[in-house]
């Protein structure tokens, strides 16, 4: 991508963050775009599960998660990526290759291929993933947040929930608990997905009823997203209580309009020149290209090995099960052990 | 915020006998003193001290961050306990009555039990609470819940029958890196005949190991919880007729100690399984098939079971007595097997 040279005029940064953060957000936006393209292509080509043909990344979730990640110097906060798994996972430090290993159920994935999809857990990195019923993870992250407070840690937890959570009793239990115990928690409710959002028009009232602060996030620019999340995080770790952020529908101008708009502003705001942006873009593309090239060489799981660490039963003694029987024919009587016919 | 240990968790230190309820309290207190990662969550466990007063005095000593009164929301606070366990704490969740664990079934089976499988790491979490009938509590305060969870890989299930085991097993459960469901029979909580003087020294009873509560060679009775005592009473009656019953107290139901049951069956040749839980889908079925796999050659009769009938737990005293397995029921089945 060729860009116009940066304006020679002096940058006029009005955002709450500096050039390094701007470069970082530009990089993560590019990485998300390239990864989305490549995953869809792999799915269409039949190289991974075709259900990933509609794989999508909402760049806002990337920015929100990255703001949390950076706020704790990249070592402290905790994130449940939910349905936004690709963006927040990468924002919390997962590499594109790690992401693809998990998506494609490779033996080298974090869960040893026992879990697939786009969400996984790596608590050392601050990721707790899952793909089960919606709403539960607000409970789980509330408990994790209480652990932070108990240890006097300057940490907060971030949960991305889909709007279906509004229908789930488990989500409301988690909200009630987090509000009652003032857990340092931020819940991002994606009200743009199908489901309960229309049926619950006053989500802010729901949040406030549970003792949460509330804010709407629509098509806000990256700077505003970072500001909102930073404020919510500060409120959480200061003991002032949890926050619910409602993420509105995605832009009608295309999924990457916010990223494009951000890129268009970086020269004026932070003095980032075209060649510098090109270098950022190339770096993001190279990481994704490497991951895709490597994915085909990653081993598939061997079921016995993959399940051995978690299996809790005993291998049955032959010849009592069909699987272990040496042949389908009559079993020869054994003598001596008195244990087996 | 620190006070001396209240009397009900200090009896062993004073050399006094303890009830099963007090043994549970001592285990919790000592584990919280030993390991600051251990904390408690549950309904009314703080200021009120718990429905059965197991945690009376804990809030004053350990403070509100380690003794957390929760909303009436079993699913919600069990989920929160999972999050704390992810972060390296060791939560002990109290169900006011284990009948109310059912709202937490989803998070326990779908999320907590699968943590290690999914690569989300260990899940050191205990869910404990009172179970069992005989207290005229009716269908919502009397159930045994073990088999609702027995089918879920990733969980452990413990069900002690006496104070010594309750204390040692609960300590082992708290120190275990897997989620443990810990059932405490209300009928044993304050039972005078169950009081025991326990060792002053710290000890654990390893999970997954049964014990021989009574040695014999005519018949094996495999059982757990309150039914250990009913079986021992039946064995005493049978002994008057020269029938020597071996009673195996399972103590841990998941993982089940197959070896101990099989070893006893190899000695006696007869197996009777006794549980207070209802019949269909009870643990007797699983034990029977395992002994079919492991000890068929030694069996000299059918494997029988004495259980509660397949019904909700009745409220009326007459109905509940009919519903629950009795000493006479066990004796009748045992005589049939011995004479088979």
């Amino acid at each position: 991508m060729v860009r116009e040279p940066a304006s020679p005029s002096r940058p006029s940064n009005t955002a709450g963050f500096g050039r390094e953060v701007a470069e970082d957000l530009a990089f993560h936006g590019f990485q998300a775009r390239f990864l989305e393209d490549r995953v869809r292509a792999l799915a269409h080509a039949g190289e991974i599960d075709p259900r990933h043909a509609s794989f999508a990344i909402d760049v806002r979730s990337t920015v929100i998660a990255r703001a949390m990640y950076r706020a704790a110097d990249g070592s402290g906060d905790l994130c449940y990526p939910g349905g936004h798994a690709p963006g927040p996972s990468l924002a919390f430090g997962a590499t594109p290759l790690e992401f693809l290993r998990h998506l494609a159920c490779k033996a080298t994935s974090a869960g040893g291929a026992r879990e697939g999809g786009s969400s996984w857990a790596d608590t050392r990195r601050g990721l707790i993933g899952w793909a089960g019923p919606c709403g539960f993870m607000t409970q789980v992250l509330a408990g994790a947040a209480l652990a932070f407070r108990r240890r006097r840690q300057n940490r907060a937890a971030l949960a991305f929930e889909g709007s279906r959570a509004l229908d789930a009793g488990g989500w409301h239990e988690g909200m009630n608990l987090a509000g009652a115990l003032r857990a340092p928690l931020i819940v991002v409710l994606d009200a743009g997905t199908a489901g309960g959002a229309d049926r619950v028009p006053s989500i802010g009232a729901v949040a406030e009823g549970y003792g949460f602060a509330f804010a709407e996030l629509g098509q806000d620019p990256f700077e505003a997203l970072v500001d909102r999340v930073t404020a919510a995080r500060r409120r959480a770790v200061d003991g002032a209580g949890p926050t619910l952020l409602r993420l509105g529908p995605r832009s009608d101008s295309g999924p990457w309009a916010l990223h494009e708009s951000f890129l268009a502003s970086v020269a004026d705001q932070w003095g980032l020149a075209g060649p510098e942006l090109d270098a950022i873009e190339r770096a993001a593309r190279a990481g994704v290209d490497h991951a895709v090239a490597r994915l085909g060489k990653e081993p598939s799981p061997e079921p016995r090995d993959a399940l051995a660490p978690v299996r809790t039963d005993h291998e049955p003694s032959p010849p009592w099960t069909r699987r272990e029987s040496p042949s389908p024919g009559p079993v020869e009587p054994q003598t001596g052990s008195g244990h087996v016919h | 915020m620190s006070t001396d240990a209240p009397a009900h968790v200090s009896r062993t230190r004073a050399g006094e006998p303890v009830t099963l309820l007090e043994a549970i309290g001592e285990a919790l207190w000592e584990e919280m003193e030993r390991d600051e990662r251990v904390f408690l969550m549950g309904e009314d466990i703080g200021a009120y001290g718990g429905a059965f007063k197991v945690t009376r005095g804990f809030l004053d000593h350990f403070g509100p961050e380690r003794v957390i009164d929760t909303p009436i929301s079993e699913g919600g606070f069990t989920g929160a306990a999972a999050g704390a366990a992810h972060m390296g704490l060791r939560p002990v969740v109290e169900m006011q009555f284990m009948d109310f664990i059912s709202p937490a079934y989803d998070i326990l089976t779908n999320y907590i039990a699968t943590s290690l499988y999914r690569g989300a790491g260990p899940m050191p979490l205990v869910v404990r609470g009172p179970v069992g009938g005989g207290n005229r509590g009716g269908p919502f305060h009397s159930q045994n819940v073990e088999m609702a969870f027995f089918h879920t890989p990733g969980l452990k299930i413990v069900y002690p029958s006496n104070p010594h085991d309750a204390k040692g097993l609960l300590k082992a459960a708290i120190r275990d890196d897997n989620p443990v469901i810990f059932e405490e029979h209300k009928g044993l909580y304050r039972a005078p005949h169950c009081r025991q003087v326990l060792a002053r020294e710290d000890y654990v009873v390893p999970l997954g190991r049964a014990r021989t509560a009574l040695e014999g060679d005519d018949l094996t009775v495999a059982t757990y919880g309150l039914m250990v005592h009913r079986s021992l009473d039946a064995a005493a009656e049978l002994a008057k007729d020269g029938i020597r019953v071996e009673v195996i107290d399972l103590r841990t139901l998941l993982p089940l100690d197959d070896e101990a049951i099989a070893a006893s069956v190899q000695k006696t040749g007869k197996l009777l399984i006794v549980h207070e839980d209802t019949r269909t889908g009870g643990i007797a079925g699983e034990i029977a098939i395992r002994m079919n796999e492991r000890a068929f050659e030694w069996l000299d009769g059918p494997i029988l079971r004495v259980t509660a009938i397949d019904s909700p737990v009745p409220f009326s005293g007459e109905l509940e007595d009919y519903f629950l397995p009795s000493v006479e029921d066990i004796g009748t089945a045992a005589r049939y097997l011995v004479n088979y």
Side-chain angles (χ1 to χ4, degrees):
Chain A
M1 184 181 294
V2 177
R3 299 183 182 281
E4 293 296 319
S7 165
S9 62
R10 183 180 175 146
S12 54
N13 175 11
T14 57
F17 54 80
R19 177 182 168 116
E20 183 192 354
V21 175
E23 292 176 354
D24 183 67
L25 295 179
F27 173 85
H28 277 274
F30 281 126
Q31 182 174 250
R33 296 172 70 161
F34 299 139
L35 188 65
E36 182 181 285
D37 284 346
R38 300 302 297 269
V39 167
R40 289 181 176 185
L42 288 168
H44 282 299
E47 294 179 39
I48 61 173
D49 191 324
R51 287 175 293 181
H52 298 310
S54 57
F55 179 87
I57 298 176
D58 186 334
V59 72
R60 295 174 300 174
S61 66
T62 306
V63 174
I64 291 167
R66 195 66 184 167
M68 288 283 283
Y69 182 80
R70 293 186 65 92
D73 299 326
S75 60
D77 281 345
L78 185 72
C79 177
Y80 162 59
H84 285 274
S89 297
L90 295 169
F92 265 65
T95 66
L97 178 56
E98 286 176 303
F99 185 84
L100 289 178
R101 280 173 176 158
H102 197 74
L103 194 72
C105 293
K106 295 296 186 181
T108 47
S109 68
R114 293 187 297 272
E115 177 76 317
S118 58
S119 182
W120 75 94
D122 181 350
T123 51
R124 288 170 303 175
R125 187 175 268 150
L127 287 169
I128 295 187
W130 197 41
C134 60
F136 275 10
M137 294 305 287
T138 294
Q139 305 169 2
V140 174
L141 273 279
L146 290 174
F148 299 156
R149 193 177 68 193
R150 156 88 193 284
R151 288 171 162 158
R152 307 286 183 266
Q153 293 172 321
N154 179 31
R155 303 177 72 183
L158 170 69
F160 286 89
E161 296 278 14
S163 60
R164 290 284 187 194
L166 283 163
D167 299 338
W171 183 74
H172 290 276
E173 288 193 42
M175 292 287 286
N176 184 44
L177 188 88
L181 300 178
R182 302 177 79 78
L185 173 70
I186 300 169
V187 178
V188 178
L189 186 72
D190 183 357
T193 58
D198 294 342
R199 292 193 296 281
V200 186
S202 299
I203 294 172
V206 172
E208 287 160 14
Y210 287 127
F212 277 59
F214 177 74
E216 294 267 6
L217 303 177
Q219 296 306 309
D220 303 80
F222 282 12
E223 301 93 302
L225 292 173
V226 171
D227 287 348
R228 286 279 173 78
V229 173
T230 302
R233 187 184 182 283
R234 190 177 306 118
R235 170 183 155 82
V237 298
D238 286 349
T243 297
L244 179 71
L245 300 174
R246 180 183 188 269
L247 197 61
R250 296 177 192 184
S251 170
D252 294 334
S253 307
W256 303 106
L258 282 179
H259 188 232
E260 290 291 349
S261 171
F262 179 68
L263 295 176
S265 72
V266 293
D268 285 343
Q269 288 263 44
W270 292 279
L272 267 172
E276 291 172 297
L277 273 182
D278 289 341
I280 292 170
E281 181 182 353
R282 280 196 302 276
R285 186 187 295 278
V288 173
D289 286 348
H290 165 74
V292 172
R294 177 72 206 177
L295 185 66
K297 300 171 186 167
E298 297 286 305
S300 295
E302 201 292 308
R304 181 181 290 264
D305 292 344
L307 293 172
V310 296
R311 192 172 166 174
T312 54
D313 64 340
H314 302 293
E315 290 280 357
S317 305
W320 290 99
T321 70
R322 177 174 56 79
R323 177 177 293 182
E324 296 294 332
S325 182
S327 74
V331 177
E332 291 294 322
Q334 297 182 15
T335 57
S337 72
H339 186 70
V340 176
H341 280 285
Chain B
M1 175 145 330
S2 182
T3 59
D4 291 337
H8 71 99
V9 295
S10 304
R11 301 208 193 287
T12 292
R13 271 183 253 179
E16 299 172 1
V18 297
T19 63
L20 189 139
L21 190 78
E22 290 163 345
I24 298 285
E26 286 188 358
L28 293 171
W29 187 279
E30 291 173 20
E31 287 303 290
M32 291 179 76
E33 291 277 29
R34 186 188 64 81
D35 185 346
E36 65 176 10
R37 297 172 300 173
V38 180
F39 75 102
L40 312 180
M41 300 182 83
E43 297 156 359
D44 300 325
I45 63 167
Y48 189 67
F52 289 86
K53 303 299 181 188
V54 173
T55 53
R56 189 178 62 226
F58 280 54
L59 178 64
D60 290 340
H61 185 77
F62 294 107
E65 290 191 345
R66 296 187 69 192
V67 183
I68 300 175
D69 274 322
T70 65
I72 300 177
S73 168
E74 289 81 3
F77 62 72
T78 304
H86 275 311
M87 295 298 102
L89 299 185
R90 291 184 173 269
V92 180
V93 171
E94 177 177 302
M95 294 289 159
Q96 202 163 69
F97 289 83
M98 274 294 205
D99 309 63
F100 307 137
I101 199 173
S102 49
Y105 182 82
D106 204 345
I107 193 84
L108 276 164
T109 57
N110 277 319
Y111 188 82
I112 290 170
T114 61
S115 177
L116 189 63
Y117 170 90
R118 292 180 289 109
M123 181 60 72
L125 180 155
V126 177
V127 178
R128 53 157 291 272
V131 296
N135 293 286
R136 311 318 188 209
F140 311 123
H141 297 80
S142 306
Q143 296 173 64
N144 289 279
V145 301
E146 56 269 25
M147 296 311 289
F149 297 95
F150 187 79
H151 194 59
T152 303
L155 297 177
K156 295 185 177 182
I157 303 172
V158 177
Y159 199 147
S161 70
N162 60 72
H164 171 272
D165 287 354
K167 185 172 181 179
L169 287 165
L170 183 52
K171 287 187 167 208
I174 291 170
R175 298 177 195 185
D176 201 284
D177 280 341
N178 298 284
V180 179
I181 293 173
F182 195 93
E183 298 187 57
E184 305 156 7
H185 199 291
K186 295 185 288 293
L188 298 175
Y189 263 170
R190 298 185 175 95
H193 70 278
C194 277
R195 289 160 69 94
Q196 291 176 321
V197 177
L198 306 184
R200 285 194 174 93
E201 298 76 29
D202 180 48
Y203 71 92
V204 297
V205 174
L207 305 187
R209 291 195 204 157
R211 74 178 177 104
T212 302
L214 178 67
E215 288 198 30
D217 47 25
D218 289 329
L219 167 74
T220 298
V221 174
T223 186
Y224 55 95
L226 180 72
M227 288 299 121
V228 171
H229 301 273
R230 295 255 164 104
S231 298
L232 290 171
D233 289 347
E237 287 296 314
L238 292 162
K240 294 174 184 172
D241 296 329
I243 298 172
R244 291 160 51 87
V245 176
E246 180 145 297
V247 177
I248 303 296
D249 179 356
L250 297 173
R251 304 199 288 196
T252 301
L253 307 184
L254 194 64
L256 194 58
D257 190 350
D258 298 354
E259 297 290 344
I261 306 169
S264 181
V265 168
Q266 287 172 21
K267 182 167 73 169
T268 67
K270 304 281 178 62
L271 176 59
L272 173 65
I273 303 155
V274 180
H275 57 69
E276 185 184 309
D277 197 6
T278 50
R279 171 166 291 239
T280 301
I283 201 169
E286 179 64 23
I287 294 173
I289 189 63
R290 291 194 190 194
M291 291 308 107
N292 181 54
E293 291 170 345
R294 299 176 69 105
F296 183 81
E297 286 289 300
W298 286 273
L299 284 169
D300 295 324
I303 299 173
L304 296 185
R305 57 183 167 174
V306 173
T307 72
I309 65 172
D310 286 342
S311 158
V313 185
F315 188 85
S316 135
E318 289 85 347
L319 297 185
E320 189 179 28
D321 288 344
Y322 176 78
F323 164 88
L324 292 170
S326 67
V327 173
E328 291 71 29
D329 295 334
I330 298 167
T332 301
R335 287 180 195 281
Y336 174 85
L337 261 186
V338 168
N339 293 322
Y340 183 83

